[in-house]
Amino acid sequence: AHRLARDMTQVLRTTLETMSQGVSVVDADLRLIGHNQRLLELLDFPPSLIHEGTTLEDVFRFNAERGEYGPGDVAAQVRERIERARHFVPHRLKRTRPDGRVLEIIGTPLPDGGFVTTYADITEQERIAAEIRRERDFRQRLIESVPGIFYLIGQDGRFLLWNRNFETIAGYSSKDMSAAHPLDFFEGSDRELIASRIGEVFASGSTTAEARFKSKNGTLRPFFFTGERIELEDGRPGLIGVGLDISERKQAEAALARQTAILQATLEAMDQGISVVDADLNMSALNKRFCELLDLPESLAGGGASFADFARFNARRGEYGPCDIEAKVQEM
């Protein structure tokens, strides 16, 4: 029995020394009854402090005096930790040491009182996690800075990312967005168009579309959408894009069309022939009376011709008398 106990103790000690975590074991009286060398390395303890029989109070005082717990009254810091330890409650916490090393400390109570506590160096994991958080926050700031709505969807039609503008314009909550499908925001021919363009992105790489975006309350607004195929982190294809509200542009186009129609109607109502030539010598406007008076063909009356086209037509039919046609065109 003595030999078995001795062998088991040796196995336990060997196991402790091969662990990457520091380990300490204290009894119900909060005295150290076991530890490994890694504990001293991680917590920068001198060997004279850590040995069988060392009290937890001695360890806490050593740490408090060297500033391990930050500024404060040493006696109060020690007393607070001793009182907490006497409750023998399971605990898990992270502590950043003065040298910047981050430790994860896990305490597990023993059946008859006392603790087994492990100390793991998670400095690198914390650095990586902080870097991921920074990248995620930066990415989110970029997404939120996009004018209009931003979206990233998978090939199954599930929204993977979106900005708050999307929720605001659509009138959807985050929960609504998680359950939504891109086609939920369109109806009729617009829905068919968007379905076709989504398939086009996954098939050929990119597309654009103009369609009326339907919010939750039924409001329809004209939007210009872009879509680009990308590869997601797991290798699956995704569609990333933005949607811009073009209501103002549509209103401006409609107003321009109305003004153009009024101008053309005014020109056609006049008894004089009128033409307008721009700075590049293109015929930007003319009326039917102008074409009648000058006996111009449909090819010139239809618009889009240049002043040179008119001059060349007239020269060819002898309007300017005998001449070198191209020389006359240049002169005119």
Side-chain angles (χ1 to χ4, degrees), residues 293-308:
L293 290 173
L294 296 181
D295 192 22
L296 298 176
E298 289 291 331
S299 60
L300 292 178
S306 68
F307 182 78

Side-chain angles (χ1 to χ4, degrees), residues 146-221:
V146 171
I149 63 176
F150 168 89
Y151 43 86
L152 172 63
I153 61 176
Q155 198 165 16
D156 58 359
R158 185 170 61 90
F159 281 95
L160 305 177
L161 280 176
W162 60 88
N163 61 357
R164 278 191 290 270
N165 271 348
F166 202 130
E167 294 180 6
T168 301
I169 293 171
Y172 276 44
S173 66
S174 296
K175 184 178 180 181
D176 292 334
M177 288 297 302
S178 298
H181 188 280
L183 298 183
D184 295 341
F185 303 99
F186 305 94
E187 60 184 20
S189 60
D190 289 329
R191 183 183 178 96
E192 295 175 5
L193 172 66
I194 294 301
S196 171
R197 295 297 168 85
I198 289 175
E200 188 177 314
V201 169
F202 286 110
S204 60
S206 64
T207 193
T208 61
E210 285 190 18
R212 291 170 301 168
F213 183 87
K214 184 179 71 174
S215 61
K216 196 170 186 178
N217 63 8
T219 301
L220 294 171
R221 278 184 280 189

Side-chain angles (χ1 to χ4, degrees), residues 139-152:
R139 180 187 66 187
Q140 192 62 36
R141 285 196 297 271
L142 282 180
I143 290 173
E144 297 302 339
S145 70
V146 171
I149 63 176
F150 168 89
Y151 43 86
L152 172 63

